[in-house]
Amino acid sequence: MEPRAGVSKQDIREQIWDYMESQNLADFPRPVHHRIPNFKGASRAAEHFPRLQAFQMARTVKVNPDAPQKNARFFVLDSKKTLLVPTPRLRTGLFNKITPPPGATKDILRKCATSQGVRNYSTPVGLDSRVLVDLVVVGSVAVSEKGWRIGKGEGYADLEYAMMVSMGAVSPATPVVTIVHDCQVVDIPETLLEDHDLTVDYILTPTRVITTGCERPKPAGIAWSKRRETSFAPGQAPSAPAPPAEAVGVLFRLHLKYEGSPVASIAISSEMLGRMPVLRSLRCREEQAGKDVTLWDEHRTLLGAQAALSTGRSPRDPPPLESGSMKGEDVPSNTAYVGNLPRDARVSELKRALSALGVAPLRLTWQGPQHRAFLYYRDPAEARQAVSYLQGFHLGANTVRVALAGQQRASDLAGSHTGELHPDHPAAIADL
């Protein structure tokens, strides 16, 4: 099956999905639309996997969690290799290590390789782990014999790989394998390729093993940028117009760097950042390593704050809170309350954490003796967004309480730990 002339990536996806359903090549779960499609013959295709020299030499193998790669996961476990499986949609982290129970039979190993087994027998692998991945298996909707790959359009495989590079888990020499039905091997026009697209070195089908010899560079890591550039969402052509901020939320830029090629930019919405704590953790980790992780929207806010300082108070600047003026109705609607801060917490720690989470305010009022702070944003919408992101946030050993200041309980605003502000401990107001 060959794609029609003048097609887009999405056209190829729809063509593959439609064909697999119409020809009854698809397997559970169905319909296969908007998935990495499972197919009849997936187990036969996976039988090629342990015969690859790259598999035989590997000790640690990362395999995607989709259904057609279930048998690949089994072969990794059965060969007593270390199996890493990405968390679905990166919601709770990057990897899980699958650890079968002692003395596991082949039947138990097959259960461990299922989605339920991945949940029952896994332990998280942190970004700071020293894991080295020797072989990577990814799912595909379509792939060409040249090694060019099209996923389901959400960009997770590209992002996973770039994060593995950033944590030192893979190198440019790490082989990448995909397992697909023969009908998924098609010609992909080179004009559809984007710089952030992950390529593959081996294609396994029920009838063939294809060594692609692909020389196109793979992602070489993540760099954070404060420059705003023309953006495109995962699966969207670079020439497409950038989505408006009001449609997708505040955007920041992840730059996937490639050896000998231009930097590509992927637009990530604030919604995605909220769904993927691992991104926030990676950003915080790289900031602690001394890297510039300033985001373009933070840069814009900083410039606005500097301009306001040089020209006097802007009408949008929040008034400082006075001691004894802590009632909810007196607090500006663009203000967020953060309470239950650790007794030994420092304002610098909170500011770093807020910056790493992408919710740095214009200004911050620190009231350490009352174990709380007030965060001032440009408008109520940004304050609400910050409150949403900070739910469940930990500072030190404490889970902080976060709410819009005007909605917070009067007892909290009045000082749940020490009552009134102590005259020896005035509020510290800081510009960020």
Side-chain angles (χ1 to χ4, degrees):
M1 185 184 68
E2 297 304 327
R4 300 180 297 271
V7 298
S8 66
K9 282 185 176 181
Q10 189 60 27
D11 290 333
I12 294 176
R13 293 185 188 104
E14 296 289 347
Q15 188 177 353
I16 296 280
W17 288 327
D18 289 346
Y19 184 83
M20 294 182 76
E21 286 290 348
S22 66
Q23 300 300 310
N24 200 28
L25 300 173
D27 208 344
F28 178 84
R30 297 179 71 172
V32 293
H33 293 78
H34 311 293
R35 304 179 190 271
I36 297 297
N38 196 13
F39 57 92
K40 296 173 181 175
S43 59
R44 284 202 312 278
E47 288 174 1
H48 300 298
F49 189 44
R51 300 170 192 157
L52 292 178
Q53 184 179 10
F55 177 92
Q56 295 168 6
M57 295 177 62
R59 291 185 292 181
T60 300
V61 185
K62 171 260 174 188
V63 184
N64 61 299
D66 300 288
Q69 282 71 48
K70 179 180 68 174
N71 283 297
R73 296 191 292 272
F74 163 74
F75 285 127
V76 174
L77 295 174
D78 192 45
S79 299
K80 295 181 172 51
K81 301 178 186 291
T82 299
L83 173 62
L84 301 178
V85 179
T87 61
R89 298 180 180 270
L90 303 181
R91 282 187 293 259
T92 58
L94 181 57
F95 288 139
N96 283 319
K97 177 182 177 182
I98 312 306
T99 306
T105 64
K106 287 186 181 294
D107 286 341
I108 293 177
L109 293 180
R110 291 189 186 279
K111 291 179 181 178
C112 292
T114 65
S115 57
Q116 183 64 44
V118 167
R119 288 191 291 269
N120 292 344
Y121 297 100
S122 64
T123 55
V125 177
L127 291 172
D128 293 322
S129 66
R130 300 286 184 180
V131 63
L132 294 177
V133 177
D134 304 305
L135 184 60
V136 173
V137 180
V138 296
S140 303
V141 174
V143 66
S144 78
E145 292 189 9
K146 295 180 179 179
W148 302 342
R149 170 189 172 274
I150 295 177
K152 60 186 176 185
E154 297 179 346
Y156 286 108
D158 308 320
L159 184 55
E160 288 165 7
Y161 190 90
M163 293 182 73
M164 284 192 288
V165 175
S166 290
M167 63 187 289
V170 296
S171 73
T174 304
V176 178
V177 178
T178 194
I179 301 173
V180 296
H181 192 275
D182 288 279
C183 74
Q184 294 174 258
V185 183
V186 298
D187 287 334
I188 298 175
E190 188 169 5
T191 54
L192 296 183
L193 296 183
E194 302 168 34
D195 286 338
H196 67 268
D197 287 335
L198 179 62
T199 57
V200 302
D201 302 292
Y202 299 97
I203 304 168
L204 311 183
T205 79
T207 65
R208 294 194 289 170
V209 174
I210 302 170
T211 302
T212 68
C214 185
E215 297 181 356
R216 187 178 179 86
K218 294 180 174 66
I222 293 177
W224 310 90
S225 173
K226 61 188 177 186
R227 297 168 296 154
R228 186 175 185 179
E229 302 177 1
T230 301
S231 63
F232 55 95
Q236 181 181 11
S239 59
E246 62 267 25
V248 296
V250 179
L251 300 179
F252 66 86
R253 296 295 176 267
L254 281 177
H255 287 277
L256 306 185
K257 300 185 296 182
Y258 298 79
E259 300 292 343
S261 69
V263 174
S265 177
I266 295 181
I268 305 293
S269 69
S270 58
E271 179 187 6
M272 182 175 289
L273 182 63
R275 291 199 312 263
M276 297 163 58
V278 66
L279 280 178
R280 303 198 296 269
S281 299
L282 178 62
R283 187 176 176 224
C284 186
R285 175 177 176 262
E286 297 206 339
E287 182 187 37
Q288 292 172 352
K291 296 184 180 179
D292 180 7
V293 297
T294 307
L295 308 179
W296 72 265
D297 51 317
E298 291 176 341
H299 186 58
R300 178 186 61 189
T301 298
L302 179 60
L303 290 177
Q306 290 172 341
L309 287 173
S310 65
T311 59
R313 180 177 295 279
S314 165
R316 301 188 67 164
D317 275 349
L321 291 179
E322 301 291 341
S323 297
S325 179
M326 293 296 168
K327 295 181 180 179
E329 61 267 24
D330 296 330
V331 181
S333 60
N334 59 341
T335 306
Y337 161 87
V338 178
N340 196 37
L341 296 172
R343 293 181 179 275
D344 58 349
R346 298 177 178 271
V347 64
S348 59
E349 294 171 340
L350 179 60
K351 288 165 65 175
R352 282 197 301 270
L354 294 172
S355 177
L357 292 170
V359 292
L362 286 174
R363 296 172 63 198
L364 180 153
T365 298
W366 175 259
Q367 297 178 349
Q370 284 73 38
H371 313 290
R372 68 187 178 200
F374 291 86
L375 316 178
Y376 303 104
Y377 293 91
R378 291 183 304 166
D379 51 48
E382 281 198 2
R384 289 194 297 270
Q385 185 179 75
V387 169
S388 175
Y389 277 14
L390 291 170
Q391 297 304 313
F393 168 61
H394 287 73
L395 190 66
N398 290 19
T399 301
V400 301
R401 290 195 297 271
V402 186
L404 290 174
Q407 298 175 358
Q408 184 60 16
R409 294 177 304 170
S411 61
D412 286 330
L413 292 174
S416 58
H417 289 83
T418 58
E420 299 300 323
L421 286 172
H422 195 282
D424 292 336
H425 299 283
I429 299 175
D431 292 303
L432 298 188

